[in-house]
C-alpha cells in the first residue's frame, strides 16, 4: 500500500517557535506613531497585550521556547497530519507530487488555535482574567473561545453584526466554549454607541468590532485584547506548522520545490512558509514560496508597499506593508478570512524583497478547485484555502505540460464545514467573480497617504 | 509531557474485518419471510444488494479480508486517533482513566464511511453503476455520497423532506460530493407518489425514504441499494474501530474495564465493542460492555425481544431483535441517529444473553455532558455520542465514589459541526426531555405482533 499520511508522534510537537526576523537579509521597518511619525516602542502595546506577547512581537531570538502547558494543549490536535494527495494527482494526471498539511483537525477547525492558546496562556500567567477580540466569520473567535475555556479565562467576542446573523453555527460554537458573543456594533462601548447613533441599523464591520474589542480591553483592568493575524508574534506561533511539515516531508523522503499558502493577514501562510524560507536563506535549499490571495482583495499583487494603518478607523500604529488603503472595502467574497486591506509586515517585506511570489485568483475558479479537491480527497476545504488549492492545481498542470516531477506542498489551513452555503451558491452556478476594476483599485491605492 | 494521543501508522489499518457471529456462544435466529414465517435465504436480498455483501451478511468466517483498494481509501482518515481524556478526568476529579476513539476525523465526520466505502467497492466490482439510499439528518447520506464519488459510482439519496429543509449543510455536503439528493416523498417512485396523493404536504419519514430508495434500486438495473446500520455486514465493516482501539490501548499500556458506545441501529457500538467482546468470549478478559440509548427511544431497555420488521412500512424480512414496534414513532430528539424502533439483531441478542448491558438517558443530561466534554477536550460531539459521554462520565464519577482506578473506553463516533442549532437550544435552556410515558411505551410494545 502506497503511503497517504505522514504522522508524527506528539513528542515531536516543536519545542520552540521559529522566528524568521533575525534570519532576514534586510531590516524590517518599525511601526510608526501616526502623529509624530516616530517609531513606537513596545510600551505602546502595553494597554492591550501582556508583556511576554510584546516581547515576542519584537524579539530578535531565532527560537522562542514553547511552554510545556501550551504543548500539552497543542497535543489535543498536534502534530497535524501531512497528506500526499495521491487521488488529486491522479485526477490531474500529473507527474507532480502534491502534499498538504491539514490544520483543520484542530477543535475549531483551522490553524488559528496555534496562536490563540499561547496568547491565552501568557495572559493568564500575567494575571489577566478575560480576553476580548473581534471576529468576522468566526474562525478566530471560536479559536480564542476554545483557548480561553481551556485555560480558564473569560472571553468576550465582538462579532460583526451581519455575520452574527448569517453565521449562527460559528457563534453557537463560541458560546458552547463558554464565550460571551456580542453583535457589533453594541451599546457596550463608546465606539459602538457612536456608530449606532449615526446608524442604528449598522451591519457592523471588522474595523468597528476591533475598535470595540480594544476599547473594552483598555477600559477594563481585568481584560486584555487578542489579535489572530498580521502581527509578528502571531506568525511566530504559527511556525509549528512549517516545522512539523519539514520533518514530515523528510519522512516522505522528499523536499518541496514549491510551498503554497493562501494569504489574508498572513498567519497560516507564514506558519507553513517561514521554516522553508529559513532553509532558502541558509543556502540549503531553493524552494519557490507562493502566497495566494483573492483577485477581489489583491493586496500583494496590486497594493502599494507603504506605511498604513492596520484598522479601518486608523487608530493603530502605522505599519509598513502592502496595502490597498485602510479604508478599502473588499467585495463580499466567501473567503472572509482573506478580506483584509493590508498584510503582515513580514510577509509584505518578503514579497517586496522578492523572496516570496504572490498571485491572485477570482472566486469561481477557486471554488471549482475546492470542489475538485473535496471529490478527490474527501476533505471539504474552507473557501480561503481553495485559493491555495487552485494555485497548487495550476502548478501541477504546468508540471504535466513540462513533464517535470515537481514536489508541491500547500497548507490546508481549515475545513469548510461552516461554509456550505457558499458551496451551495457555487454549485447552483450563482457565484460571481467579484474583482474590483483596475480603476477602483488604482483609486483606492492612490488615496493612501503613506 | 504526558501522552494524550495514541496514533497508529496507516500500515496498521486492519487487514480483515472481524466477524463476531461464529464466536457467539449461541445461535442467531434467522430473518423470516413475513408471509410464510419461514427463514429467508440470502437470495431474498439479491434484488437490492450485490453478491459479496450478501455473502458477508451470512458468513461464518471469523475474519473477512479487507480489499487493498478499500484500505487505501480508509487511509484518507484511518487509523483514527485514540485519545486519553486527561482534561475531562481532571474536571471530574476521578481516578478513572478515560479513553476515546475518535471517528469524527473521517471526511463526512463520523464512522459511517467505514461501511460506505466497502459497500460502494463491492457494488462497483459487480458492475453496479449507481447506489440509492435514504438519509435522515444526513450522516449516512453524506458518507455514501463520499464513498460513491471516491469509487466513481453515481449516488441517489432520498432525504426525509423535513430534514432536507432543516439541515441544508448536510444536503449541500452530499451535493458537493456529487450526489443527487431528493426531498422524500418524491414523485419519482410509486411509493412516493402514493404518499403525496394522500398528503401532498407530507414531511416525509425515514420509513418512506427507505421505500423510495429500495424501489429505485429494484426497478432500475443499473442501481443497488445501500444501508448504513443494523445489518450484520454493516457491523462487520465497523469492526475496524475496535480492532484499532485494541492495539492503541496496548500502546497506552492499559486495557479497558468498560467499553461504552451509543446505540441507534448498532453500527458504531458494534464497531468498537465486538473485538472486545471477542476477548471476553475467549476468556482472556472480563470487560463490561455498555450500550447507551435515548430514554425517548428505549429499544434495548424497554422494548421486546421478538420478530419485527426493519422498516416502518413493514416490507423487509422480519428480524429477531429488541423493538418498540415498527410503527413506533420516537420523539423528535436531536440525536436523530438514535431514533430507530429496532436494533441490530446481533446487538439485540448480546443484550438478551446478558453479554452487553444497556442503559438509557434523557436528552438534557446528555447535552450537559456534551458541553462539558467540548469545554474540556475541545471536540464538539454529535448529539448521538453525548449519550455515550454521559454514561462514561457517570461511570467515572462512580469510580471516584468507590476510589477505583477504572479504565473506560468510549467511541466518539462523530463531531457535532452540523448540530449547533441543537446546542443553541440547549444553551438557551430550551431543550426538553422527550421521554414517552411508560404507558405509551407499554402500548407500543403490546401492539407488536411478533
Amino acid at each position: 500500500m502506497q503511503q497517504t499520511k505522514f504522522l508524527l508522534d506528539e513528542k515531536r510537537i516543536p519545542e520552540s517557535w521559529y522566528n524568521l526576523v533575525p534570519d532576514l537579509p534586510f531590516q524590517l521597518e518599525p511601526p510608526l506613531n501616526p502623529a509624530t511619525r516616530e517609531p513606537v516602542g513596545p510600551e505602546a502595546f502595553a494597554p492591550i497585550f501582556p508583556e511576554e506577547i510584546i516581547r515576542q512581537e519584537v524579539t530578535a531570538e531565532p527560537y522562542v521556547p514553547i511552554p510545556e502547558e501550551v504543548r500539552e494543549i497543542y497535543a489535543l490536535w498536534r502534530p497535524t497530519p501531512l497528506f500526499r494527495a495521491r487521488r488529486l494527482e491522479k485526477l490531474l494526471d500529473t507527474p507532480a507530487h502534491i502534499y498538504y498539511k491539514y490544520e483543520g483537525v484542530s477543535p475549531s477547525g483551522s490553524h488559528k488555535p496555534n496562536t490563540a492558546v499561547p496568547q491565552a496562556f501568557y495572559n493568564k500567567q500575567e494575571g489577566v482574567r478575560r480576553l476580548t477580540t473581534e471576529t468576522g466569520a468566526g474562525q478566530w473567535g471560536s479559536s480564542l473561545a476554545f483557548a480561553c475555556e481551556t485555560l480558564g479565562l473569560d472571553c468576550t467576542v465582538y462579532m460583526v453584526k451581519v455575520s452574527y446573523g448569517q453565521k449562527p453555527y460559528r457563534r453557537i460554537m463560541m458560546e458552547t466554549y463558554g464565550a460571551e458573543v456580542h453583535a457589533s456594533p453594541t451599546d457596550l462601548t463608546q465606539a459602538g454607541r457612536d456608530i449606532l447613533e449615526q446608524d442604528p441599523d449598522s451591519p457592523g464591520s471588522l474595523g468597528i468590532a476591533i475598535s470595540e474589542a480594544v476599547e473594552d480591553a483598555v477600559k477594563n483592568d481585568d481584560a486584555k485584547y487578542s489579535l489572530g493575524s498580521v502581527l509578528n508574534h502571531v506568525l511566530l506561533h504559527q511556525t509549528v506548522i512549517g516545522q512539523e511539515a519539514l520533518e514530515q516531508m523528510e519522512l516522505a523522503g522528499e523536499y518541496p520545490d514549491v510551498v503554497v499558502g493562501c494569504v489574508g493577514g498572513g498567519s497560516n501562510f507564514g506558519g507553513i512558509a517561514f521554516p522553508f524560507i529559513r532553509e532558502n536563506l541558509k543556502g540549503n535549499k531553493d524552494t519557490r514560496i507562493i502566497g495566494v490571495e483573492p483577485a477581489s482583495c489583491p493586496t500583494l499583487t496590486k497594493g502599494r508597499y507603504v506605511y498604513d494603518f492596520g484598522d479601518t478607523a486608523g487608530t493603530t500604529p502605522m505599519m509598513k506593508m502592502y496595502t490597498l488603503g485602510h479604508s478599502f472595502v473588499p467585495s463580499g467574497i466567501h473567503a472572509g478570512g482573506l478580506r483584509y486591506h493590508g498584510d503582515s509586515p513580514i510577509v509584505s517585506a518578503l514579497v517586496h524583497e522578492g523572496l516570496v511570489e504572490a498571485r491572485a485568483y477570482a472566486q469561481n475558479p477557486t471554488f471549482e478547485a475546492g470542489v475538485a479537491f473535496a471529490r478527490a480527497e474527501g476533505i471539504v476545504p474552507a473557501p480561503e484555502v481553495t485559493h491555495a488549492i487552485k494555485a497548487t492545481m495550476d502548478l501541477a498542470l504546468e508540471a504535466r505540460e513540462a513533464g517535470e516531477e515537481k514536489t508541491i506542498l500547500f497548507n490546508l489551513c481549515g475545513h469548510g464545514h461552516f461554509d456550505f452555503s457558499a458551496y451551495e451558491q457555487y454549485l447552483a452556478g450563482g457565484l460571481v467573480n467579484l474583482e474590483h476594476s483596475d480603476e477602483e483599485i488604482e483609486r483606492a491605492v492612490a488615496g493612501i497617504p503613506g
Side-chain angles (χ1 to χ4, degrees), chain A:
Chain A
M1 198 164 88
Q2 291 184 309
Q3 198 166 353
T4 298
K5 290 190 304 299
F6 300 88
L7 305 178
L8 295 175
D9 187 89
E10 64 194 38
K11 291 188 195 76
R12 306 302 304 155
I13 294 171
E15 295 184 356
S16 302
W17 294 297
Y18 166 62
N19 181 19
L20 178 63
V21 176
D23 285 332
L24 289 174
F26 50 83
Q27 281 281 320
L28 280 183
E29 301 194 56
L32 298 184
N33 178 316
T36 65
R37 305 284 291 193
E38 292 295 315
V40 297
E43 68 288 351
F45 296 105
I48 55 170
F49 293 136
E51 280 179 30
E52 178 58 23
I53 288 293
I54 296 171
R55 204 187 65 73
Q56 293 183 6
E57 180 65 21
V58 297
T59 184
E61 295 163 24
Y63 286 94
V64 175
I66 305 178
E68 207 50 21
E69 194 174 341
V70 170
R71 290 182 77 231
E72 276 172 16
I73 300 172
Y74 276 171
L76 291 173
W77 75 97
R78 301 210 72 84
T80 60
L82 180 85
F83 288 81
R84 169 96 182 258
R86 292 189 188 275
R87 305 179 67 88
L88 182 65
E89 290 171 17
K90 206 166 165 185
L91 175 78
L92 299 173
D93 188 24
T94 176
H97 294 189
I98 303 175
Y99 291 85
Y100 58 94
K101 179 78 168 157
Y102 184 39
E103 291 291 307
V105 294
S106 83
S108 60
S110 78
H111 65 292
K112 293 285 185 189
N114 295 335
T115 185
V117 170
Q119 289 194 48
F121 174 80
Y122 292 122
N123 274 285
K124 188 183 182 184
Q125 235 187 5
E126 297 183 25
V128 175
R129 308 257 301 270
R130 182 168 66 92
L131 286 181
T132 71
T133 199
E134 74 289 338
T135 201
Q139 277 283 16
W140 168 241
S142 54
S143 300
L144 192 67
F146 156 71
C148 284
E149 174 60 33
T150 304
L151 284 150
L153 292 176
D154 290 337
C155 184
T156 307
V157 181
Y158 294 85
M159 185 173 191
V160 178
K161 192 186 275 174
V162 61
S163 300
Y164 186 94
Q166 284 173 356
K167 304 237 171 178
Y169 277 28
R170 278 280 174 203
R171 168 178 60 77
I172 306 162
M173 185 180 234
M174 294 184 249
E175 291 169 348
T176 301
Y177 288 139
E180 200 171 290
V181 187
H182 302 294
S184 165
T186 73
D187 58 4
L188 303 169
T189 66
Q190 193 56 48
R193 286 189 294 270
D194 287 350
I195 297 287
L196 290 174
E197 200 172 304
Q198 292 163 36
D199 177 7
D201 299 321
S202 164
S205 74
L206 215 47
I208 297 167
I210 293 177
S211 305
E212 291 207 275
V214 168
E215 182 184 328
D216 183 345
V218 169
K219 286 196 178 160
N220 291 289
D221 282 349
D222 67 328
K224 294 273 184 197
Y225 168 74
S226 178
L227 191 72
S229 192
V230 180
L231 296 181
N232 299 357
H233 68 273
V234 178
L235 275 65
L236 174 77
H237 298 156
Q238 293 294 353
T239 58
V240 288
I241 304 172
Q243 290 184 75
E244 289 176 7
L246 263 171
E247 198 168 330
Q248 288 164 309
M249 289 300 304
E250 210 174 309
L251 283 182
E254 302 212 59
Y255 193 90
D257 299 299
V258 196
V259 171
V260 182
C262 62
V263 186
S267 81
N268 98 78
F269 174 77
I272 188 109
F274 287 3
F276 290 93
I277 293 175
R278 175 180 188 277
E279 297 303 309
N280 283 353
L281 292 172
K282 299 280 177 199
N284 300 331
K285 298 289 177 182
D286 186 24
T287 295
R288 280 178 76 186
I289 313 281
I290 304 180
V292 192
E293 61 184 14
S296 54
C297 189
T299 318
L300 297 171
T301 49
K302 293 192 179 171
R304 284 178 64 197
Y305 186 57
V306 294
Y307 271 99
D308 195 6
F309 294 102
D311 67 330
T312 310
T315 59
T316 66
M318 298 186 83
M319 295 180 296
K320 185 78 177 274
M321 60 182 177
Y322 279 97
T323 175
L324 297 163
H326 65 275
S327 55
F328 180 77
V329 180
S331 312
I333 54 167
H334 289 286
L338 306 186
R339 291 179 68 231
Y340 183 59
H341 70 273
D343 233 308
S344 146
I346 303 177
V347 173
S348 295
L350 287 164
V351 171
H352 184 68
E353 297 286 335
L355 301 178
V356 165
E357 299 170 42
R359 48 171 85 178
Y361 288 103
Q363 182 161 248
N364 258 312
T366 68
F367 269 89
E368 187 184 7
V371 169
F373 183 84
R375 291 182 179 180
E377 296 287 319
I379 297 166
V380 179
E384 287 79 2
V385 73
T386 62
H387 292 75
I389 295 172
K390 171 62 179 162
T392 297
M393 288 171 69
D394 277 2
L395 289 161
L397 293 173
E398 287 165 24
R400 183 175 73 182
E401 290 307 306
E404 290 175 338
E405 199 185 88
K406 291 280 183 199
T407 298
I408 309 168
L409 166 66
F410 76 91
N411 190 28
L412 184 44
C413 59
H415 64 62
H417 294 177
F418 304 109
D419 302 290
F420 275 112
S421 61
Y423 277 93
E424 179 173 40
Q425 286 177 44
Y426 169 74
L427 291 170
L431 274 192
V432 283
N433 292 326
L434 289 165
E435 295 89 83
H436 298 268
S437 67
D438 284 349
E439 279 169 18
E440 274 178 286
I441 298 288
E442 276 165 32
R443 218 168 25 240
V445 169
I448 301 170

